[in-house]
PDB file of all heavy atoms in Angstrom:
ATOM      1  N   ILE R1174       3.190  -0.736  -4.395  1.00  0.00           N
ATOM      2  CA  ILE R1174       2.582   0.162  -3.524  1.00  0.00           C
ATOM      3  C   ILE R1174       2.098  -0.449  -2.211  1.00  0.00           C
ATOM      4  O   ILE R1174       1.501  -1.534  -2.196  1.00  0.00           O
ATOM      5  CB  ILE R1174       1.245   0.841  -4.247  1.00  0.00           C
ATOM      6  CG1 ILE R1174       1.754   1.663  -5.438  1.00  0.00           C
ATOM      7  CG2 ILE R1174       0.481   1.720  -3.245  1.00  0.00           C
ATOM      8  CD1 ILE R1174       2.656   2.881  -5.061  1.00  0.00           C
ATOM      9  N   MET R1175       2.400   0.242  -1.103  1.00  0.00           N
ATOM     10  CA  MET R1175       2.100  -0.238   0.274  1.00  0.00           C
ATOM     11  C   MET R1175       0.909   0.518   0.816  1.00  0.00           C
ATOM     12  O   MET R1175       0.841   1.780   0.724  1.00  0.00           O
ATOM     13  CB  MET R1175       3.227  -0.038   1.230  1.00  0.00           C
ATOM     14  CG  MET R1175       4.616  -0.501   0.679  1.00  0.00           C
ATOM     15  SD  MET R1175       4.690  -2.266   0.621  1.00  0.00           S
ATOM     16  CE  MET R1175       6.142  -2.440  -0.450  1.00  0.00           C
ATOM     17  N   SER R1176       0.011  -0.159   1.517  1.00  0.00           N
ATOM     18  CA  SER R1176      -0.948   0.359   2.361  1.00  0.00           C
ATOM     19  C   SER R1176      -0.499   0.101   3.785  1.00  0.00           C
ATOM     20  O   SER R1176      -0.137  -1.044   4.098  1.00  0.00           O
ATOM     21  CB  SER R1176      -2.340  -0.208   2.135  1.00  0.00           C
ATOM     22  OG  SER R1176      -2.807   0.092   0.840  1.00  0.00           O
ATOM     23  N   VAL R1177      -0.609   1.110   4.661  1.00  0.00           N
ATOM     24  CA  VAL R1177      -0.108   0.958   6.043  1.00  0.00           C
ATOM     25  C   VAL R1177      -1.177   1.367   7.042  1.00  0.00           C
ATOM     26  O   VAL R1177      -2.087   2.082   6.777  1.00  0.00           O
ATOM     27  CB  VAL R1177       1.226   1.747   6.274  1.00  0.00           C
ATOM     28  CG1 VAL R1177       2.327   1.248   5.364  1.00  0.00           C
ATOM     29  CG2 VAL R1177       0.968   3.224   6.057  1.00  0.00           C
ATOM     30  N   ASP R1178      -0.969   0.933   8.306  1.00  0.00           N
ATOM     31  CA  ASP R1178      -1.863   1.320   9.404  1.00  0.00           C
ATOM     32  C   ASP R1178      -1.251   2.554  10.085  1.00  0.00           C
ATOM     33  O   ASP R1178      -0.315   3.124   9.555  1.00  0.00           O
ATOM     34  CB  ASP R1178      -2.184   0.211  10.332  1.00  0.00           C
ATOM     35  CG  ASP R1178      -0.874  -0.320  11.066  1.00  0.00           C
ATOM     36  OD1 ASP R1178       0.125   0.453  11.062  1.00  0.00           O
ATOM     37  OD2 ASP R1178      -0.942  -1.405  11.638  1.00  0.00           O
ATOM     38  N   GLU R1179      -1.835   2.917  11.222  1.00  0.00           N
ATOM     39  CA  GLU R1179      -1.428   4.154  11.900  1.00  0.00           C
ATOM     40  C   GLU R1179      -0.021   4.011  12.449  1.00  0.00           C
ATOM     41  O   GLU R1179       0.684   5.033  12.758  1.00  0.00           O
ATOM     42  CB  GLU R1179      -2.435   4.525  13.027  1.00  0.00           C
ATOM     43  CG  GLU R1179      -2.458   3.570  14.162  1.00  0.00           C
ATOM     44  CD  GLU R1179      -3.401   2.324  13.843  1.00  0.00           C
ATOM     45  OE1 GLU R1179      -3.892   2.239  12.669  1.00  0.00           O
ATOM     46  OE2 GLU R1179      -3.700   1.569  14.794  1.00  0.00           O
ATOM     47  N   ASN R1180       0.534   2.790  12.562  1.00  0.00           N
ATOM     48  CA  ASN R1180       1.831   2.606  12.991  1.00  0.00           C
ATOM     49  C   ASN R1180       2.844   2.256  11.987  1.00  0.00           C
ATOM     50  O   ASN R1180       3.967   1.813  12.229  1.00  0.00           O
ATOM     51  CB  ASN R1180       1.840   1.437  14.063  1.00  0.00           C
ATOM     52  CG  ASN R1180       1.002   1.735  15.307  1.00  0.00           C
ATOM     53  OD1 ASN R1180       1.157   2.859  15.861  1.00  0.00           O
ATOM     54  ND2 ASN R1180       0.186   0.803  15.706  1.00  0.00           N
ATOM     55  N   ASP R1181       2.440   2.529  10.761  1.00  0.00           N
ATOM     56  CA  ASP R1181       3.276   2.223   9.532  1.00  0.00           C
ATOM     57  C   ASP R1181       3.581   0.746   9.438  1.00  0.00           C
ATOM     58  O   ASP R1181       4.653   0.417   8.847  1.00  0.00           O
ATOM     59  CB  ASP R1181       4.529   3.107   9.546  1.00  0.00           C
ATOM     60  CG  ASP R1181       4.309   4.510   8.935  1.00  0.00           C
ATOM     61  OD1 ASP R1181       3.269   4.684   8.326  1.00  0.00           O
ATOM     62  OD2 ASP R1181       5.256   5.383   9.049  1.00  0.00           O
ATOM     63  N   MET R1182       2.734  -0.094   9.843  1.00  0.00           N
ATOM     64  CA  MET R1182       2.879  -1.529   9.602  1.00  0.00           C
ATOM     65  C   MET R1182       2.092  -1.802   8.334  1.00  0.00           C
ATOM     66  O   MET R1182       0.955  -1.284   8.088  1.00  0.00           O
ATOM     67  CB  MET R1182       2.308  -2.396  10.740  1.00  0.00           C
ATOM     68  CG  MET R1182       2.992  -2.046  12.071  1.00  0.00           C
ATOM     69  SD  MET R1182       4.840  -2.215  11.966  1.00  0.00           S
ATOM     70  CE  MET R1182       4.996  -3.994  11.798  1.00  0.00           C
ATOM     71  N   ILE R1183       2.698  -2.625   7.490  1.00  0.00           N
ATOM     72  CA  ILE R1183       2.064  -2.846   6.125  1.00  0.00           C
ATOM     73  C   ILE R1183       0.873  -3.759   6.260  1.00  0.00           C
ATOM     74  O   ILE R1183       0.966  -4.860   6.811  1.00  0.00           O
ATOM     75  CB  ILE R1183       3.164  -3.441   5.151  1.00  0.00           C
ATOM     76  CG1 ILE R1183       4.358  -2.453   5.034  1.00  0.00           C
ATOM     77  CG2 ILE R1183       2.541  -3.801   3.823  1.00  0.00           C
ATOM     78  CD1 ILE R1183       5.523  -3.093   4.305  1.00  0.00           C
ATOM     79  N   THR R1184      -0.255  -3.334   5.652  1.00  0.00           N
ATOM     80  CA  THR R1184      -1.462  -4.138   5.698  1.00  0.00           C
ATOM     81  C   THR R1184      -1.781  -4.642   4.286  1.00  0.00           C
ATOM     82  O   THR R1184      -2.562  -5.650   4.188  1.00  0.00           O
ATOM     83  CB  THR R1184      -2.649  -3.238   6.118  1.00  0.00           C
ATOM     84  OG1 THR R1184      -2.767  -2.109   5.230  1.00  0.00           O
ATOM     85  CG2 THR R1184      -2.412  -2.760   7.495  1.00  0.00           C
ATOM     86  N   GLU R1185      -1.222  -4.097   3.234  1.00  0.00           N
ATOM     87  CA  GLU R1185      -1.507  -4.500   1.871  1.00  0.00           C
ATOM     88  C   GLU R1185      -0.380  -4.129   0.990  1.00  0.00           C
ATOM     89  O   GLU R1185       0.255  -3.038   1.160  1.00  0.00           O
ATOM     90  CB  GLU R1185      -2.848  -3.941   1.405  1.00  0.00           C
ATOM     91  CG  GLU R1185      -3.353  -4.484   0.157  1.00  0.00           C
ATOM     92  CD  GLU R1185      -4.755  -3.965  -0.227  1.00  0.00           C
ATOM     93  OE1 GLU R1185      -5.402  -3.341   0.644  1.00  0.00           O
ATOM     94  OE2 GLU R1185      -5.174  -4.124  -1.331  1.00  0.00           O
ATOM     95  N   PHE R1186      -0.092  -4.932   0.042  1.00  0.00           N
ATOM     96  CA  PHE R1186       0.924  -4.676  -0.997  1.00  0.00           C
ATOM     97  C   PHE R1186       0.378  -4.975  -2.424  1.00  0.00           C
ATOM     98  O   PHE R1186      -0.194  -6.036  -2.590  1.00  0.00           O
ATOM     99  CB  PHE R1186       2.177  -5.473  -0.729  1.00  0.00           C
ATOM    100  CG  PHE R1186       3.267  -5.324  -1.787  1.00  0.00           C
ATOM    101  CD1 PHE R1186       4.124  -4.250  -1.773  1.00  0.00           C
ATOM    102  CD2 PHE R1186       3.401  -6.294  -2.757  1.00  0.00           C
ATOM    103  CE1 PHE R1186       5.122  -4.100  -2.729  1.00  0.00           C
ATOM    104  CE2 PHE R1186       4.369  -6.167  -3.765  1.00  0.00           C
ATOM    105  CZ  PHE R1186       5.211  -5.048  -3.752  1.00  0.00           C
ATOM    106  N   ALA R1187       0.575  -4.098  -3.329  1.00  0.00           N
ATOM    107  CA  ALA R1187       0.171  -4.318  -4.691  1.00  0.00           C
ATOM    108  C   ALA R1187       1.295  -3.918  -5.648  1.00  0.00           C
ATOM    109  O   ALA R1187       1.851  -2.867  -5.551  1.00  0.00           O
ATOM    110  CB  ALA R1187      -1.055  -3.536  -5.032  1.00  0.00           C
ATOM    111  N   GLU R1188       1.708  -4.855  -6.472  1.00  0.00           N
ATOM    112  CA  GLU R1188       2.763  -4.648  -7.469  1.00  0.00           C
ATOM    113  C   GLU R1188       2.227  -3.939  -8.683  1.00  0.00           C
ATOM    114  O   GLU R1188       1.419  -4.488  -9.466  1.00  0.00           O
ATOM    115  CB  GLU R1188       3.412  -5.965  -7.870  1.00  0.00           C
ATOM    116  CG  GLU R1188       4.626  -5.812  -8.826  1.00  0.00           C
ATOM    117  CD  GLU R1188       5.832  -5.219  -8.163  1.00  0.00           C
ATOM    118  OE1 GLU R1188       5.861  -5.181  -6.900  1.00  0.00           O
ATOM    119  OE2 GLU R1188       6.719  -4.738  -8.917  1.00  0.00           O
ATOM    120  N   LYS R1189       2.607  -2.587  -8.846  1.00  0.00           N
ATOM    121  CA  LYS R1189       2.189  -1.849 -10.036  1.00  0.00           C
ATOM    122  C   LYS R1189       0.722  -1.872 -10.293  1.00  0.00           C
ATOM    123  O   LYS R1189       0.239  -2.325 -11.353  1.00  0.00           O
ATOM    124  CB  LYS R1189       2.970  -2.239 -11.264  1.00  0.00           C
ATOM    125  CG  LYS R1189       4.458  -2.065 -11.141  1.00  0.00           C
ATOM    126  CD  LYS R1189       5.225  -2.497 -12.309  1.00  0.00           C
ATOM    127  CE  LYS R1189       6.764  -2.262 -12.149  1.00  0.00           C
ATOM    128  NZ  LYS R1189       7.530  -2.673 -13.357  1.00  0.00           N
ATOM    129  N   PRO R1190      -0.129  -1.497  -9.306  1.00  0.00           N
ATOM    130  CA  PRO R1190      -1.588  -1.565  -9.419  1.00  0.00           C
ATOM    131  C   PRO R1190      -2.101  -0.517 -10.397  1.00  0.00           C
ATOM    132  O   PRO R1190      -1.604   0.640 -10.491  1.00  0.00           O
ATOM    133  CB  PRO R1190      -2.111  -1.297  -8.025  1.00  0.00           C
ATOM    134  CG  PRO R1190      -0.992  -0.374  -7.449  1.00  0.00           C
ATOM    135  CD  PRO R1190       0.277  -0.845  -8.012  1.00  0.00           C
ATOM    136  N   LYS R1191      -3.181  -0.881 -11.149  1.00  0.00           N
ATOM    137  CA  LYS R1191      -3.755   0.052 -12.086  1.00  0.00           C
ATOM    138  C   LYS R1191      -4.517   1.159 -11.334  1.00  0.00           C
ATOM    139  O   LYS R1191      -4.582   2.319 -11.764  1.00  0.00           O
ATOM    140  CB  LYS R1191      -4.765  -0.711 -12.969  1.00  0.00           C
ATOM    141  CG  LYS R1191      -4.017  -1.612 -13.951  1.00  0.00           C
ATOM    142  CD  LYS R1191      -5.054  -2.341 -14.895  1.00  0.00           C
ATOM    143  CE  LYS R1191      -4.363  -3.229 -15.922  1.00  0.00           C
ATOM    144  NZ  LYS R1191      -5.347  -3.907 -16.809  1.00  0.00           N
ATOM    145  N   GLU R1192      -5.060   0.818 -10.167  1.00  0.00           N
ATOM    146  CA  GLU R1192      -5.813   1.789  -9.316  1.00  0.00           C
ATOM    147  C   GLU R1192      -5.183   1.735  -7.921  1.00  0.00           C
ATOM    148  O   GLU R1192      -5.786   1.053  -7.054  1.00  0.00           O
ATOM    149  CB  GLU R1192      -7.296   1.462  -9.299  1.00  0.00           C
ATOM    150  CG  GLU R1192      -7.968   1.631 -10.729  1.00  0.00           C
ATOM    151  CD  GLU R1192      -9.429   1.380 -10.665  1.00  0.00           C
ATOM    152  OE1 GLU R1192      -9.971   1.210  -9.584  1.00  0.00           O
ATOM    153  OE2 GLU R1192     -10.110   1.449 -11.740  1.00  0.00           O
ATOM    154  N   PRO R1193      -4.105   2.481  -7.731  1.00  0.00           N
ATOM    155  CA  PRO R1193      -3.419   2.364  -6.407  1.00  0.00           C
ATOM    156  C   PRO R1193      -4.274   2.938  -5.277  1.00  0.00           C
ATOM    157  O   PRO R1193      -5.019   3.969  -5.413  1.00  0.00           O
ATOM    158  CB  PRO R1193      -2.192   3.243  -6.619  1.00  0.00           C
ATOM    159  CG  PRO R1193      -2.493   4.071  -7.776  1.00  0.00           C
ATOM    160  CD  PRO R1193      -3.397   3.364  -8.655  1.00  0.00           C
ATOM    161  N   LYS R1194      -4.175   2.212  -4.100  1.00  0.00           N
ATOM    162  CA  LYS R1194      -4.917   2.756  -2.943  1.00  0.00           C
ATOM    163  C   LYS R1194      -4.059   3.677  -2.056  1.00  0.00           C
ATOM    164  O   LYS R1194      -4.502   4.261  -1.135  1.00  0.00           O
ATOM    165  CB  LYS R1194      -5.302   1.555  -2.060  1.00  0.00           C
ATOM    166  CG  LYS R1194      -6.279   0.562  -2.759  1.00  0.00           C
ATOM    167  CD  LYS R1194      -6.656  -0.558  -1.858  1.00  0.00           C
ATOM    168  CE  LYS R1194      -7.604  -1.538  -2.550  1.00  0.00           C
ATOM    169  NZ  LYS R1194      -7.920  -2.658  -1.605  1.00  0.00           N
ATOM    170  N   SER R1195      -2.788   3.751  -2.418  1.00  0.00           N
ATOM    171  CA  SER R1195      -1.843   4.557  -1.615  1.00  0.00           C
ATOM    172  C   SER R1195      -0.774   5.136  -2.621  1.00  0.00           C
ATOM    173  O   SER R1195      -0.653   4.635  -3.749  1.00  0.00           O
ATOM    174  CB  SER R1195      -1.206   3.715  -0.572  1.00  0.00           C
ATOM    175  OG  SER R1195      -0.004   4.265  -0.079  1.00  0.00           O
ATOM    176  N   ASN R1196       0.006   6.074  -2.118  1.00  0.00           N
ATOM    177  CA  ASN R1196       1.085   6.559  -2.884  1.00  0.00           C
ATOM    178  C   ASN R1196       2.459   6.267  -2.235  1.00  0.00           C
ATOM    179  O   ASN R1196       3.438   6.946  -2.520  1.00  0.00           O
ATOM    180  CB  ASN R1196       0.943   8.083  -3.235  1.00  0.00           C
ATOM    181  CG  ASN R1196       1.047   8.956  -2.020  1.00  0.00           C
ATOM    182  OD1 ASN R1196       0.851   8.493  -0.896  1.00  0.00           O
ATOM    183  ND2 ASN R1196       1.497  10.165  -2.248  1.00  0.00           N
ATOM    184  N   LEU R1197       2.405   5.303  -1.294  1.00  0.00           N
ATOM    185  CA  LEU R1197       3.716   4.876  -0.675  1.00  0.00           C
ATOM    186  C   LEU R1197       4.350   3.818  -1.497  1.00  0.00           C
ATOM    187  O   LEU R1197       3.863   2.710  -1.593  1.00  0.00           O
ATOM    188  CB  LEU R1197       3.378   4.352   0.713  1.00  0.00           C
ATOM    189  CG  LEU R1197       3.328   5.357   1.907  1.00  0.00           C
ATOM    190  CD1 LEU R1197       3.079   4.570   3.211  1.00  0.00           C
ATOM    191  CD2 LEU R1197       4.555   6.188   2.003  1.00  0.00           C
TER     192      LEU R1197
END
C-alpha cells in the first residue's frame, strides 16, 4: 500500500499492512 502527497509522489510504503493508511 502506497501513501502519496498531493502530486502523487510516494511518501510511505507498507507491504500488506494490518491497518492500511491508504487504499492505493
